[in-house]
Amino acid sequence: MTILVTGGAGYIGSHTCVSLLESRYTVVAMDDLSNSSEESLRRVGKITGKSMEFFKASVQDEDALSGIFDSHKIDCVIHFAGFKAVGESTQKPLEYYENNLASTIALAKAMSEHGCKRLIFSSSATVYDGRNIVAPFAESARTGNCTNPYGWTKFMNEQILRDWAASDPEVSVVNLRYFNPIGAHPSGLIGEDPRGIPNNLMPYISQVAVGRRDHLSVYGDDYDTKDGTGVRDYIHVMDLAEGHVKAVEYAMEHTGEAVFNLGTGTGYSVLEIVKAFEKASGVKIPYVITDRRPGDLAELYSDPSKSAEQLHWTAKRGLEEMCRDTWNWQKNNPNGYEGQRKDD
Ligand code: UD1
């Protein structure tokens, strides 16, 4: 069974390649390397002892897609490739809509033309109408009302794929809504390697720990939460990766569109994460409390029961493991895959 993984060199993509290879799938990876490094794929090979084919191309490149589908019998596609920086999406909305929507459409068209009809899409909890619903978020909860163009591209891509599935009884689409992926493969060989200043909490903390950043800014301590700081559903990236393997199995057995949360169902506050990371690393994380970040919500965590029942998947790894593996990756690769970055 052959799986095409778009965005295969990225953070979640590379960890998913490990899980797929370990589950004996043949993997073909595609990535334009605009926000990732081919080194991650070399390390996937090192971890698994298995090889995979790699195509350096954008998913918007229709000729490249045709070339891959013409030369391989692809059974299922996992589509990770896309722009993902929330702040940047508000500065460059047209680039975000163009890239994230055009690539999904080009991919689904190429799949239809080549008779490949199973697609797993990398969606996000950001599609939930978090300002008007209360955690835990089940898949049936209201979506929309997104706070930024990035979120809307996830919302719109889900709809495009839902419509595609409705148009052809052979199509199987699984939209996976991720909560907050953190951690790294326990080998410390692959992990999250953001370019520039990290937007997300865990990579920021780990760069403070390794001395690349001075201190963490905690965005507000006056939320209506256990300690006043924001609460999120952090999930180990290897649990997330294994969720994709389950989604592939699901897509083999079902047609139509399905949506599943990939989260743990447990919420941790920013300060709980800081403490857990300090414990795992033995490094003190200096922080200051600042204003709230615009668009942030107080509390956001999943109801993972549908995934447990229908996808036969639950997250197994706890916060200690998430922090340990993040630290293991960061201390072994203080500057990510490619040494000191020019943009630092
Ligand atoms: C963010 C995005 C979300 C995206 C997700 C991808 C926003 C508003 N939301 O989610 O759309 O799908 O990343 O992983 O950007 N925090 C700090 N200091 C920091 C960074 C974060 O205190 O330097 C706090 C935040 O206020 C929040 C928590 O840490 O309470 C988690 O933040 P983050 O990692 O950015 O994730 P989300 O905001 O949940």
Side-chain angles (χ1 to χ4, degrees), residues 86 124 126 150 180-181 199-201 204 216-219 230 232 234 270 293 295-296:
V86 173
S124 166
T126 196
Y150 157 78
N180 290 59
N199 298 306
N200 298 114
L201 179 64
Y204 204 103
L216 170 74
S217 295
V218 175
Y219 298 145
R232 296 290 184 273
Y234 297 93
V270 175
R293 180 171 63 181
D296 267 357

PDB file of all heavy atoms in Angstrom, residues 86 124 126 150 180-181 199-201 204 216-219 230 232 234 270 293 295-296, ligand 1:
ATOM      1  N   VAL A  86      -0.272  31.957  11.682  1.00  0.00           N
ATOM      2  CA  VAL A  86      -1.499  32.730  11.895  1.00  0.00           C
ATOM      3  C   VAL A  86      -1.266  34.227  11.674  1.00  0.00           C
ATOM      4  O   VAL A  86      -1.995  34.877  10.926  1.00  0.00           O
ATOM      5  CB  VAL A  86      -2.013  32.480  13.328  1.00  0.00           C
ATOM      6  CG1 VAL A  86      -3.182  33.397  13.645  1.00  0.00           C
ATOM      7  CG2 VAL A  86      -2.397  31.029  13.499  1.00  0.00           C
ATOM      8  N   SER A 124      -7.615  21.679  11.525  1.00  0.00           N
ATOM      9  CA  SER A 124      -7.187  22.258  12.804  1.00  0.00           C
ATOM     10  C   SER A 124      -8.382  22.567  13.680  1.00  0.00           C
ATOM     11  O   SER A 124      -9.479  22.886  13.175  1.00  0.00           O
ATOM     12  CB  SER A 124      -6.432  23.554  12.509  1.00  0.00           C
ATOM     13  OG  SER A 124      -6.276  24.311  13.674  1.00  0.00           O
ATOM     14  N   THR A 126      -8.746  25.137  15.002  1.00  0.00           N
ATOM     15  CA  THR A 126      -9.039  26.541  14.755  1.00  0.00           C
ATOM     16  C   THR A 126     -10.341  26.717  13.962  1.00  0.00           C
ATOM     17  O   THR A 126     -10.912  27.807  13.948  1.00  0.00           O
ATOM     18  CB  THR A 126      -7.826  27.213  14.046  1.00  0.00           C
ATOM     19  OG1 THR A 126      -7.954  28.609  14.134  1.00  0.00           O
ATOM     20  CG2 THR A 126      -7.689  26.799  12.607  1.00  0.00           C
ATOM     21  N   TYR A 150      -5.646  32.172   7.974  1.00  0.00           N
ATOM     22  CA  TYR A 150      -5.172  30.791   8.080  1.00  0.00           C
ATOM     23  C   TYR A 150      -6.319  29.868   8.515  1.00  0.00           C
ATOM     24  O   TYR A 150      -6.550  28.811   7.922  1.00  0.00           O
ATOM     25  CB  TYR A 150      -4.004  30.720   9.088  1.00  0.00           C
ATOM     26  CG  TYR A 150      -3.794  29.349   9.678  1.00  0.00           C
ATOM     27  CD1 TYR A 150      -3.147  28.360   8.944  1.00  0.00           C
ATOM     28  CD2 TYR A 150      -4.271  29.043  10.951  1.00  0.00           C
ATOM     29  CE1 TYR A 150      -2.988  27.093   9.479  1.00  0.00           C
ATOM     30  CE2 TYR A 150      -4.113  27.777  11.491  1.00  0.00           C
ATOM     31  CZ  TYR A 150      -3.473  26.807  10.761  1.00  0.00           C
ATOM     32  OH  TYR A 150      -3.323  25.553  11.280  1.00  0.00           O
ATOM     33  N   ASN A 180      -3.154  20.935  19.849  1.00  0.00           N
ATOM     34  CA  ASN A 180      -1.840  21.600  19.853  1.00  0.00           C
ATOM     35  C   ASN A 180      -0.702  20.585  19.871  1.00  0.00           C
ATOM     36  O   ASN A 180      -0.274  20.138  20.942  1.00  0.00           O
ATOM     37  CB  ASN A 180      -1.727  22.530  21.062  1.00  0.00           C
ATOM     38  CG  ASN A 180      -2.632  23.741  20.945  1.00  0.00           C
ATOM     39  OD1 ASN A 180      -3.838  23.606  20.829  1.00  0.00           O
ATOM     40  ND2 ASN A 180      -2.058  24.919  20.949  1.00  0.00           N
ATOM     41  N   PRO A 181      -0.173  20.241  18.700  1.00  0.00           N
ATOM     42  CA  PRO A 181       0.892  19.237  18.640  1.00  0.00           C
ATOM     43  C   PRO A 181       2.206  19.782  19.198  1.00  0.00           C
ATOM     44  O   PRO A 181       2.635  20.876  18.836  1.00  0.00           O
ATOM     45  CB  PRO A 181       1.059  18.957  17.140  1.00  0.00           C
ATOM     46  CG  PRO A 181       0.021  19.736  16.434  1.00  0.00           C
ATOM     47  CD  PRO A 181      -0.545  20.742  17.368  1.00  0.00           C
ATOM     48  N   ASN A 199       6.040  31.248  16.865  1.00  0.00           N
ATOM     49  CA  ASN A 199       4.742  31.810  17.267  1.00  0.00           C
ATOM     50  C   ASN A 199       4.117  30.986  18.369  1.00  0.00           C
ATOM     51  O   ASN A 199       3.325  31.488  19.143  1.00  0.00           O
ATOM     52  CB  ASN A 199       3.767  31.775  16.076  1.00  0.00           C
ATOM     53  CG  ASN A 199       4.262  32.610  14.917  1.00  0.00           C
ATOM     54  OD1 ASN A 199       4.547  33.780  15.096  1.00  0.00           O
ATOM     55  ND2 ASN A 199       4.387  32.006  13.742  1.00  0.00           N
ATOM     56  N   ASN A 200       4.438  29.711  18.393  1.00  0.00           N
ATOM     57  CA  ASN A 200       3.741  28.804  19.302  1.00  0.00           C
ATOM     58  C   ASN A 200       4.515  28.614  20.604  1.00  0.00           C
ATOM     59  O   ASN A 200       5.723  28.821  20.673  1.00  0.00           O
ATOM     60  CB  ASN A 200       3.491  27.455  18.610  1.00  0.00           C
ATOM     61  CG  ASN A 200       2.596  27.614  17.400  1.00  0.00           C
ATOM     62  OD1 ASN A 200       3.018  27.395  16.273  1.00  0.00           O
ATOM     63  ND2 ASN A 200       1.369  28.028  17.616  1.00  0.00           N
ATOM     64  N   LEU A 201       3.756  28.220  21.615  1.00  0.00           N
ATOM     65  CA  LEU A 201       4.311  28.197  22.976  1.00  0.00           C
ATOM     66  C   LEU A 201       5.511  27.264  23.146  1.00  0.00           C
ATOM     67  O   LEU A 201       6.568  27.678  23.634  1.00  0.00           O
ATOM     68  CB  LEU A 201       3.190  27.805  23.958  1.00  0.00           C
ATOM     69  CG  LEU A 201       3.620  27.726  25.425  1.00  0.00           C
ATOM     70  CD1 LEU A 201       4.047  29.096  25.944  1.00  0.00           C
ATOM     71  CD2 LEU A 201       2.487  27.164  26.273  1.00  0.00           C
ATOM     72  N   TYR A 204       8.834  28.074  21.555  1.00  0.00           N
ATOM     73  CA  TYR A 204       9.396  29.272  22.190  1.00  0.00           C
ATOM     74  C   TYR A 204      10.067  28.886  23.510  1.00  0.00           C
ATOM     75  O   TYR A 204      11.220  29.259  23.777  1.00  0.00           O
ATOM     76  CB  TYR A 204       8.311  30.347  22.426  1.00  0.00           C
ATOM     77  CG  TYR A 204       8.929  31.723  22.502  1.00  0.00           C
ATOM     78  CD1 TYR A 204       8.861  32.607  21.434  1.00  0.00           C
ATOM     79  CD2 TYR A 204       9.649  32.112  23.636  1.00  0.00           C
ATOM     80  CE1 TYR A 204       9.482  33.844  21.480  1.00  0.00           C
ATOM     81  CE2 TYR A 204      10.272  33.346  23.692  1.00  0.00           C
ATOM     82  CZ  TYR A 204      10.180  34.213  22.613  1.00  0.00           C
ATOM     83  OH  TYR A 204      10.807  35.433  22.667  1.00  0.00           O
ATOM     84  N   LEU A 216      10.379  33.970  28.114  1.00  0.00           N
ATOM     85  CA  LEU A 216       9.066  33.737  27.501  1.00  0.00           C
ATOM     86  C   LEU A 216       8.133  34.882  27.888  1.00  0.00           C
ATOM     87  O   LEU A 216       8.164  35.344  29.035  1.00  0.00           O
ATOM     88  CB  LEU A 216       8.501  32.408  28.035  1.00  0.00           C
ATOM     89  CG  LEU A 216       7.034  32.103  27.702  1.00  0.00           C
ATOM     90  CD1 LEU A 216       6.894  31.720  26.232  1.00  0.00           C
ATOM     91  CD2 LEU A 216       6.503  30.981  28.595  1.00  0.00           C
ATOM     92  N   SER A 217       7.304  35.328  26.941  1.00  0.00           N
ATOM     93  CA  SER A 217       6.203  36.232  27.292  1.00  0.00           C
ATOM     94  C   SER A 217       4.956  35.377  27.450  1.00  0.00           C
ATOM     95  O   SER A 217       4.582  34.652  26.520  1.00  0.00           O
ATOM     96  CB  SER A 217       5.963  37.253  26.179  1.00  0.00           C
ATOM     97  OG  SER A 217       7.078  38.098  26.052  1.00  0.00           O
ATOM     98  N   VAL A 218       4.331  35.457  28.609  1.00  0.00           N
ATOM     99  CA  VAL A 218       3.067  34.741  28.836  1.00  0.00           C
ATOM    100  C   VAL A 218       1.951  35.726  28.500  1.00  0.00           C
ATOM    101  O   VAL A 218       1.818  36.778  29.138  1.00  0.00           O
ATOM    102  CB  VAL A 218       2.959  34.242  30.298  1.00  0.00           C
ATOM    103  CG1 VAL A 218       1.592  33.622  30.544  1.00  0.00           C
ATOM    104  CG2 VAL A 218       4.079  33.249  30.602  1.00  0.00           C
ATOM    105  N   TYR A 219       1.172  35.349  27.481  1.00  0.00           N
ATOM    106  CA  TYR A 219       0.182  36.297  26.960  1.00  0.00           C
ATOM    107  C   TYR A 219      -1.088  36.349  27.813  1.00  0.00           C
ATOM    108  O   TYR A 219      -2.118  35.808  27.443  1.00  0.00           O
ATOM    109  CB  TYR A 219      -0.189  35.922  25.526  1.00  0.00           C
ATOM    110  CG  TYR A 219       0.966  35.966  24.539  1.00  0.00           C
ATOM    111  CD1 TYR A 219       1.039  35.047  23.487  1.00  0.00           C
ATOM    112  CD2 TYR A 219       1.977  36.926  24.647  1.00  0.00           C
ATOM    113  CE1 TYR A 219       2.079  35.088  22.568  1.00  0.00           C
ATOM    114  CE2 TYR A 219       3.023  36.971  23.735  1.00  0.00           C
ATOM    115  CZ  TYR A 219       3.069  36.058  22.708  1.00  0.00           C
ATOM    116  OH  TYR A 219       4.090  36.086  21.798  1.00  0.00           O
ATOM    117  N   GLY A 230      -3.841  30.914  29.474  1.00  0.00           N
ATOM    118  CA  GLY A 230      -4.600  30.168  28.465  1.00  0.00           C
ATOM    119  C   GLY A 230      -4.452  28.658  28.619  1.00  0.00           C
ATOM    120  O   GLY A 230      -3.377  28.160  28.952  1.00  0.00           O
ATOM    121  N   ARG A 232      -4.865  24.878  26.797  1.00  0.00           N
ATOM    122  CA  ARG A 232      -4.908  24.210  25.494  1.00  0.00           C
ATOM    123  C   ARG A 232      -4.751  22.701  25.667  1.00  0.00           C
ATOM    124  O   ARG A 232      -4.254  22.210  26.667  1.00  0.00           O
ATOM    125  CB  ARG A 232      -3.756  24.695  24.591  1.00  0.00           C
ATOM    126  CG  ARG A 232      -3.806  26.167  24.225  1.00  0.00           C
ATOM    127  CD  ARG A 232      -4.953  26.472  23.270  1.00  0.00           C
ATOM    128  NE  ARG A 232      -4.951  27.860  22.856  1.00  0.00           N
ATOM    129  CZ  ARG A 232      -5.551  28.848  23.531  1.00  0.00           C
ATOM    130  NH1 ARG A 232      -6.185  28.584  24.659  1.00  0.00           N
ATOM    131  NH2 ARG A 232      -5.524  30.083  23.071  1.00  0.00           N
ATOM    132  N   TYR A 234      -2.675  19.999  24.539  1.00  0.00           N
ATOM    133  CA  TYR A 234      -1.393  19.654  23.910  1.00  0.00           C
ATOM    134  C   TYR A 234      -1.358  18.152  23.653  1.00  0.00           C
ATOM    135  O   TYR A 234      -1.737  17.356  24.514  1.00  0.00           O
ATOM    136  CB  TYR A 234      -0.231  20.097  24.812  1.00  0.00           C
ATOM    137  CG  TYR A 234      -0.211  21.594  24.985  1.00  0.00           C
ATOM    138  CD1 TYR A 234      -0.854  22.211  26.062  1.00  0.00           C
ATOM    139  CD2 TYR A 234       0.383  22.410  24.023  1.00  0.00           C
ATOM    140  CE1 TYR A 234      -0.884  23.593  26.190  1.00  0.00           C
ATOM    141  CE2 TYR A 234       0.360  23.797  24.143  1.00  0.00           C
ATOM    142  CZ  TYR A 234      -0.274  24.377  25.230  1.00  0.00           C
ATOM    143  OH  TYR A 234      -0.306  25.745  25.344  1.00  0.00           O
ATOM    144  N   VAL A 270      -0.698  27.644  30.367  1.00  0.00           N
ATOM    145  CA  VAL A 270       0.654  28.044  29.961  1.00  0.00           C
ATOM    146  C   VAL A 270       1.620  27.800  31.123  1.00  0.00           C
ATOM    147  O   VAL A 270       2.714  27.232  30.934  1.00  0.00           O
ATOM    148  CB  VAL A 270       0.687  29.538  29.534  1.00  0.00           C
ATOM    149  CG1 VAL A 270       2.119  29.981  29.237  1.00  0.00           C
ATOM    150  CG2 VAL A 270      -0.208  29.771  28.323  1.00  0.00           C
ATOM    151  N   ARG A 293      -2.700  38.087  23.774  1.00  0.00           N
ATOM    152  CA  ARG A 293      -2.466  38.127  22.327  1.00  0.00           C
ATOM    153  C   ARG A 293      -3.828  38.254  21.632  1.00  0.00           C
ATOM    154  O   ARG A 293      -4.743  37.453  21.910  1.00  0.00           O
ATOM    155  CB  ARG A 293      -1.758  36.834  21.893  1.00  0.00           C
ATOM    156  CG  ARG A 293      -1.456  36.761  20.405  1.00  0.00           C
ATOM    157  CD  ARG A 293      -0.557  35.573  20.063  1.00  0.00           C
ATOM    158  NE  ARG A 293      -1.178  34.287  20.353  1.00  0.00           N
ATOM    159  CZ  ARG A 293      -0.596  33.105  20.164  1.00  0.00           C
ATOM    160  NH1 ARG A 293       0.640  33.064  19.680  1.00  0.00           N
ATOM    161  NH2 ARG A 293      -1.222  31.986  20.455  1.00  0.00           N
ATOM    162  N   GLY A 295      -6.983  37.771  19.549  1.00  0.00           N
ATOM    163  CA  GLY A 295      -7.532  36.574  18.904  1.00  0.00           C
ATOM    164  C   GLY A 295      -7.442  35.319  19.750  1.00  0.00           C
ATOM    165  O   GLY A 295      -8.037  34.292  19.416  1.00  0.00           O
ATOM    166  N   ASP A 296      -6.692  35.362  20.861  1.00  0.00           N
ATOM    167  CA  ASP A 296      -6.559  34.164  21.707  1.00  0.00           C
ATOM    168  C   ASP A 296      -7.845  33.893  22.493  1.00  0.00           C
ATOM    169  O   ASP A 296      -8.567  34.809  22.872  1.00  0.00           O
ATOM    170  CB  ASP A 296      -5.410  34.351  22.715  1.00  0.00           C
ATOM    171  CG  ASP A 296      -4.094  33.810  22.188  1.00  0.00           C
ATOM    172  OD1 ASP A 296      -4.083  33.249  21.078  1.00  0.00           O
ATOM    173  OD2 ASP A 296      -3.077  33.961  22.887  1.00  0.00           O
TER     174      ASP A 296
HETATM  175  C1  UD1 B   1      -2.155  28.698  17.472  1.00  0.00           C
HETATM  176  C2  UD1 B   1      -3.044  29.362  16.476  1.00  0.00           C
HETATM  177  C3  UD1 B   1      -3.933  28.325  15.835  1.00  0.00           C
HETATM  178  C4  UD1 B   1      -3.072  27.256  15.163  1.00  0.00           C
HETATM  179  C5  UD1 B   1      -2.108  26.679  16.196  1.00  0.00           C
HETATM  180  C6  UD1 B   1      -1.118  25.770  15.486  1.00  0.00           C
HETATM  181  C7  UD1 B   1      -3.317  31.683  17.249  1.00  0.00           C
HETATM  182  C8  UD1 B   1      -4.287  32.697  17.806  1.00  0.00           C
HETATM  183  N1  UD1 B   1      -3.816  30.430  17.110  1.00  0.00           N
HETATM  184  O1  UD1 B   1      -2.969  28.099  18.465  1.00  0.00           O
HETATM  185  O2  UD1 B   1      -4.766  28.917  14.875  1.00  0.00           O
HETATM  186  O3  UD1 B   1      -3.871  26.242  14.632  1.00  0.00           O
HETATM  187  O4  UD1 B   1      -1.378  27.712  16.837  1.00  0.00           O
HETATM  188  O5  UD1 B   1      -0.347  25.076  16.401  1.00  0.00           O
HETATM  189  O6  UD1 B   1      -2.189  32.002  16.943  1.00  0.00           O
HETATM  190  N2  UD1 B   1       1.444  31.623  24.499  1.00  0.00           N
HETATM  191  C9  UD1 B   1       2.172  32.431  25.343  1.00  0.00           C
HETATM  192  N3  UD1 B   1       3.393  32.876  24.910  1.00  0.00           N
HETATM  193  C10 UD1 B   1       3.912  32.574  23.679  1.00  0.00           C
HETATM  194  C11 UD1 B   1       3.158  31.735  22.812  1.00  0.00           C
HETATM  195  C12 UD1 B   1       1.922  31.285  23.253  1.00  0.00           C
HETATM  196  O7  UD1 B   1       1.750  32.727  26.474  1.00  0.00           O
HETATM  197  O8  UD1 B   1       5.013  33.031  23.346  1.00  0.00           O
HETATM  198  C13 UD1 B   1       0.141  31.089  24.973  1.00  0.00           C
HETATM  199  C14 UD1 B   1      -1.061  31.473  24.131  1.00  0.00           C
HETATM  200  O9  UD1 B   1      -1.617  32.675  24.580  1.00  0.00           O
HETATM  201  C15 UD1 B   1      -1.964  30.261  24.347  1.00  0.00           C
HETATM  202  C16 UD1 B   1      -1.000  29.091  24.518  1.00  0.00           C
HETATM  203  O10 UD1 B   1       0.239  29.686  24.891  1.00  0.00           O
HETATM  204  O11 UD1 B   1      -2.726  30.396  25.525  1.00  0.00           O
HETATM  205  C17 UD1 B   1      -0.793  28.278  23.261  1.00  0.00           C
HETATM  206  O12 UD1 B   1      -0.423  29.150  22.190  1.00  0.00           O
HETATM  207  P1  UD1 B   1       0.045  28.592  20.757  1.00  0.00           P
HETATM  208  O13 UD1 B   1       1.098  27.581  20.947  1.00  0.00           O
HETATM  209  O14 UD1 B   1       0.361  29.781  19.900  1.00  0.00           O
HETATM  210  O15 UD1 B   1      -1.220  27.815  20.211  1.00  0.00           O
HETATM  211  P2  UD1 B   1      -2.731  28.321  19.983  1.00  0.00           P
HETATM  212  O16 UD1 B   1      -2.906  29.768  20.298  1.00  0.00           O
HETATM  213  O17 UD1 B   1      -3.630  27.389  20.690  1.00  0.00           O
END
